[in-house]
Amino acid sequence: GPSGRSRGPAGGFGPELNFGIGIHQALGSPNTRVAVIKRTRGGTSLHTDWFPGGNATTTGDGPDYQAFQTTVTNAVVSLAARYPGATIQLEGMIWHQGEADAGSDTNANAYQTNLTNFIADIRATYGSGLKFGIAQLSNNQTDLNATRLATVKAAQAAVANASPLNYLVVTDDLPMGGSSGIHFGTAGNLTIGSRLAAGGAIDLRPEGQIFPEREEMLEARAALAHSLAAAGRRDLIPDFP
């Protein structure tokens, strides 16, 4: 589009492909299903499009963040309807973004604060125990201003180190796609997905729960029930054991 935002080609994929495969393998049970809920749009900024309003509602949230929450709610409704006997829990989120914020000094300098607040908003909405994986920008993204790129990369690393529930995936060793100076190709996306899965799988337990502590489990279930109720589908709220 005129703003530089774009949609990927139909049938395309990103890191979520190998991420889902890796998490399922780490769970070690063929009876455990892993659902990946994806929301993406190219050229969007955390500063504006994904801006967090600061609470468990959509008030003050950027347009893409609002659309993301709608996507999650609709996906949870769909999963509950398709698998009525299943226990559905939201366990974590992966984040592959930052190029647009490296496009201006204002956005780059605010990135650490905005990402910190975004993750806090995500956990207020979906549960305080959610893991959050960050795919760091790469020095190979040579179309980006080097100074602002370094600022955003440093912000991503600082946020990842701020909580044991956050983790960082480094991408400096991965090639771009073709002649691109900003977009990863197939090999890069697959590797990023595998690395995100490895980070997200660290706390997996044999019983297939990422966060088995009861308090965090109850919070995740409450968030799920809230999403279903907000969608007018209280009939799909499961009877948790």
Side-chain angles (χ1 to χ4, degrees):
S3 63
R5 298 169 183 167
S6 62
R7 295 179 182 273
F13 65 88
E16 76 282 353
L17 180 61
N18 265 11
F19 173 78
I21 293 171
I23 290 294
H24 187 266
Q25 290 174 340
L27 285 168
S29 171
N31 297 321
T32 300
R33 291 186 173 93
V34 175
V36 177
I37 303 171
K38 178 178 179 178
R39 169 71 190 183
T40 183
R41 192 162 67 94
T44 55
S45 73
L46 178 57
H47 183 273
T48 302
D49 302 298
W50 292 86
F51 185 80
N55 54 44
T57 74
T58 57
T59 302
D61 293 342
D64 279 87
Y65 186 25
Q66 291 188 40
F68 164 83
Q69 292 169 80
T70 299
T71 298
V72 172
T73 297
N74 291 342
V76 168
V77 169
S78 177
L79 286 168
R82 184 168 183 177
Y83 304 104
T87 297
I88 301 171
Q89 292 180 210
L90 302 176
E91 301 285 6
M93 179 170 175
I94 55 176
W95 181 249
H96 188 32
Q97 187 276 343
E99 291 87 350
D101 289 279
S104 78
D105 290 338
T106 298
N107 291 14
N109 292 333
Y111 197 85
Q112 182 171 337
T113 296
N114 287 338
L115 186 55
T116 298
N117 292 341
F118 179 74
I119 295 173
D121 196 299
I122 285 288
R123 291 190 175 129
T125 304
Y126 297 113
S128 63
L130 265 72
K131 294 198 76 171
F132 196 96
I134 303 166
Q136 192 179 35
L137 296 187
S138 170
N139 286 340
N140 292 325
Q141 292 175 297
T142 53
D143 284 355
L144 301 176
N145 174 274
T147 300
R148 293 194 291 265
L149 170 62
T151 298
V152 173
K153 287 185 64 181
Q156 291 170 329
V159 172
N161 289 328
S163 167
L165 291 175
N166 301 343
Y167 64 98
L168 187 75
V169 164
V170 175
T171 65
D172 284 341
D173 61 323
L174 301 180
M176 298 293 102
S179 60
S180 176
I182 193 168
H183 297 297
F184 292 96
T186 298
N189 274 307
L190 290 173
T191 303
I192 291 170
S194 295
R195 291 176 181 177
L196 286 166
I202 289 175
D203 292 328
L204 286 172
R205 301 292 188 262
E207 64 269 27
Q209 294 176 354
I210 296 179
F211 304 110
E213 294 78 5
R214 180 165 177 78
E215 181 178 354
E216 293 173 340
M217 184 187 302
L218 291 175
E219 287 183 357
R221 290 176 174 178
L224 172 63
H226 176 77
S227 294
L228 289 170
R233 297 306 305 270
R234 292 181 179 274
D235 58 304
L236 295 177
I237 298 176
D239 294 324
F240 294 116

